Amino acid sequence: MGITDILVTGEPIIYAAMVSIALVSIAIPVLLTYFKKWGWLWREWLTTVDHKKIGVMYILSALLMLFRGGMDALMMRVQLAFPDLGFLDSQHYNEIFTTHGTVMIIFMAMPFLIGLMNIIVPLQIGARDFAFPWLNAMSFWSFFIGAMLFNISFVIGGSPDAGWTSYTPLSGAALSPGPGQNFYLMGLQLSGIGTLATGINLMVTILKMRAPGMKLFHMPIFTWSTLVTCFIIVFAFPILTVALALLTIDRIFGAHFFTLTAEGLPMMWANLFWMWGHPEVYIVILPAFGIFSEIIATFAKKRLFGYHAMVWSMIIIALLSFLVWVHHFFTMGAGAFVNSVFSISTMLIAVPTGVKIFNWLATLYKSKIEFTVPMLWSLAFIPSFILGGVTGVMLGMAAADYQFHNSYFLVAHFHYVLIAGTVFACFAGLVFWYPKMFGHKMNERLGKWAFWIFFFGFHVCFFPQYFLGLDGMPRRLFITNVVEWLPLNVISTVGAFGMGLGFIVFVYNVYYSFRHAEREKTGDSWNGNGRTLEWATTTPVPFYNFATVPYVDEIDPYVRMKEEGKTTYDESQLKPIHMPSYKATPIIMMAFLGLASFGLVFEWMPVAIFGLIGGVAVMILRSFDYDDGYYVSVEEIKRIERKARGL
Amino acid sequence: MAKTDKKVPMNHVIGFALSLIMTLLAAWAAIQSDLPVTWVIVFIMVLALLQAGVQLFMFMHMTEKESGGGAVPWNMMFHGFALAAILVAGSLFTMSFGFDHGDHGDHGGEHEEHMEMDDSEGDHSGH
Ligand code: HEM
Ligand SMILES: [Cu+2]
């Protein structure tokens, strides 16, 4: 097979994409060489095991993926508002809604949140890094390379086109021949390894590495949400891993797990997919709840109302999230009894969710709210998310779902929860913790512009879609020149471009603030309103986080520390700090496994086997690596701390 | 903290080899062997139990001296089994319980034909 056989041809948009990809991939090495930055990039970033740097890389990649998924979205909206323009053909449209959904959930929402967890959780619990820093780096590279593998399908081989749910039999070898669907399988499999490893890693970190004195019920609420999320990850992701592997075996090696022929069970895919898929939507919403809780408490300047109820409701949500998956295929034809059981379990989830909403409202009640940018995102989240949740309960009524299912009503529901929940939280959390990451805040005025534009764009885009759904417009529909639907579709497209504009302002703000924002002098960046340990560190955070580990035996420990004029730093207690060394093995190992996956996508077995052997070889190499890290001397710590604290 | 222990972890190596061998045996039983289906199933089940045992005893620190003669992670094990139960029982429940196979069945006359259809489909979901 020659190179021309696998390149996607015949589409102006794709040629444009190829040219831009080629330009970018030439520009990056040229610039790096010109500024002599290769060594720096390799030493400081590509081989790092520092949780803060890995977190930054996660967030940058997630923003990139948000851009990619956003472009997909805008192309779909153009097609839907101007169906006669012939902007996309139906095949292209199928590919775009598939990559949009997959990229947004797997390569944008999760990595963004995992990036924030990476940076913030160790700081919140007084730890110096993850429990397994090497594994953390490996997780990142597995996600990143998985994401890249998925994304090149656009220009090489052709994108998957069976929806982000990849339902069989459509996604099987018989009905979707060629590499497209393999890209989906291998991209998700590769990045799934990383997610699972991160789940274990963070779970151990939180359970084993908390500051002395800190009980579980002293932990900041974002750390709690991370812990609960990790449990869901650890229990849900193996299901996806197995389902993907079975479908891969079906497609590449000719098995019949999900095929129409030879007694395969196509519906079993939907069943397994949603056994992972529903917990997955809670994987992306619980950390968001945690972020909003932190921000609301900080800018309401009160302790979070009902901390214990908040924690327990998250735990209950996590348990219930494993018991509702059938609500995604009520229309499959299981009996009324089966549907009723899952209808009730679905509606039950609304109860702990409601508890959380009331707790946020109670936190805000009679408080002196400071309307900063992160707080605006958080306040906007509450009513918007309620719209998503209430329509979710409507969808949860099995009988009614026969009407709503696969209509734009559903599309509106999950965008209301995913955007007003997860995306708002990502923006809010990024702005909120930005000074911890980069040593300066984001500009408030531009931030407010970005917020308002995005917020209005969002509602203008998705509110009409509820009514389009009620008017009978199905999802994943390519032809929409039905006169009754056109006005609302045009409005929705206008809103989508509004969101795009909001995103541009947001990204411009990153650049603008980098150039112009005042550098932070204290660690407690938000007018001294910080409540938890991350604000007790200096800015920029030293690579070992805490020179001396603080003792914590209450919720919001930093509030009291400030009242008593204390810091976490006690020079008389300094001891050498044990830190992990940077390693090249994570990126090399995942590059080999990425190559193996690429080989499997095209079913080039020699390439796949070579990559696999390479990956295993690095794994063995790593097993015989006895480097246990190094010690930072007391003198050096003293020097760094004195400089940072102006002592 | 930074203790460097260069001993080869024989337990892990043996466990790793055992788990690979058992996986291959299971694959062989299903694909290559001439055993009757019931025996294949029994064989695979037994292997699965052994496999779980290998994981727990050789990798999960169940018997490690350092953790006080074995810290048994009952909590996580319980959750693991609970999830497995949900997976299996839940799939059986949703995939084969009370299926009405679409619309047919309410029309009286064509009973014969529907019986046949129900049978063949019942067969499917039974797997
Ligand atoms: C009160 C809580 C919620 C309830 C009762 C609920 C209920 C439902 C139901 C019944 C469906 C299936 C509808 C159909 O296919 O016809 C659905 C779909 C969906 N929900 Fe929710 N939901 C809730 C919260 C959430 C949250 C928090 C998220 C994510 C952050 C979410 C994301 C999704 C997604 C992505 C889909 C569509 C998946 C697809 O078919 O592509 N939901 N929801
Ligand atoms: Cu769901």
Side-chain angles (χ1 to χ4, degrees), chain A residues 170-193:
Chain A
L170 175 60
S171 62
L175 296 176
S176 296
Q181 217 53 42
N182 295 347
F183 272 115
Y184 172 94
L185 293 169
M186 299 319 296
L188 261 63
Q189 190 68 282
L190 200 58
S191 63
I193 298 172

Side-chain angles (χ1 to χ4, degrees), chain B residues 56-75:
Chain B
L56 286 171
F57 285 100
M58 310 194 100
F59 292 107
M60 300 303 210
H61 311 270
M62 287 259 291
T63 51
E64 210 170 53
K65 290 274 169 348
E66 290 89 282
S67 52
V72 186
W74 290 118
N75 195 356

Side-chain angles (χ1 to χ4, degrees), chain A residues 274 277-279 281-282 324-325 327-328:
Chain A
W274 287 114
H278 188 84
V281 306
Y282 280 90
V324 299
W325 75 95
H327 68 211
H328 292 278

Side-chain angles (χ1 to χ4, degrees), chain B residues 27-43:
Chain B
W28 167 81
I31 300 169
Q32 289 276 310
S33 77
D34 300 324
L35 293 169
V37 177
T38 338
W39 280 106
V40 171
I41 293 174
V42 171
F43 186 58

Side-chain angles (χ1 to χ4, degrees), chain A residues 231 235 263 265 267-268 271 275 322-323 325-326 332-335 337-338 342 578 626 628 631, chain B residues 1-6 76 79-80 83 86-87 90-91 93-95 97-100 124 127:
Chain A
F231 269 86
F235 286 116
E263 298 194 56
L265 278 176
M267 273 316 295
M268 189 48 115
N271 184 58
M275 275 184 162
F322 282 95
L323 299 172
W325 75 95
V326 174
M332 175 172 101
F337 182 65
V338 174
F342 286 96
H578 183 218
Y626 294 105
D628 277 336
Y631 281 90
Chain B
M1 211 196 296
K3 92 174 181 325
T4 307
D5 187 354
K6 291 211 178 188
M76 289 305 266
H79 284 103
L83 182 77
I86 293 176
L87 245 159
S91 299
F93 180 54
T94 54
M95 299 286 295
F97 184 83
F99 248 80
D100 57 11
H124 267 246
H127 279 277

Side-chain angles (χ1 to χ4, degrees), chain A residues 258-299:
Chain A
F258 306 119
T259 55
L260 283 169
T261 53
E263 298 194 56
L265 278 176
M267 273 316 295
M268 189 48 115
W269 168 266
N271 184 58
L272 290 176
F273 183 88
W274 287 114
M275 275 184 162
W276 159 78
H278 188 84
E280 165 68 14
V281 306
Y282 280 90
I283 291 171
V284 295
I285 200 66
L286 286 182
F289 287 171
I291 293 169
F292 290 129
S293 302
E294 298 284 2
I295 293 173
I296 288 175
T298 304
F299 295 110

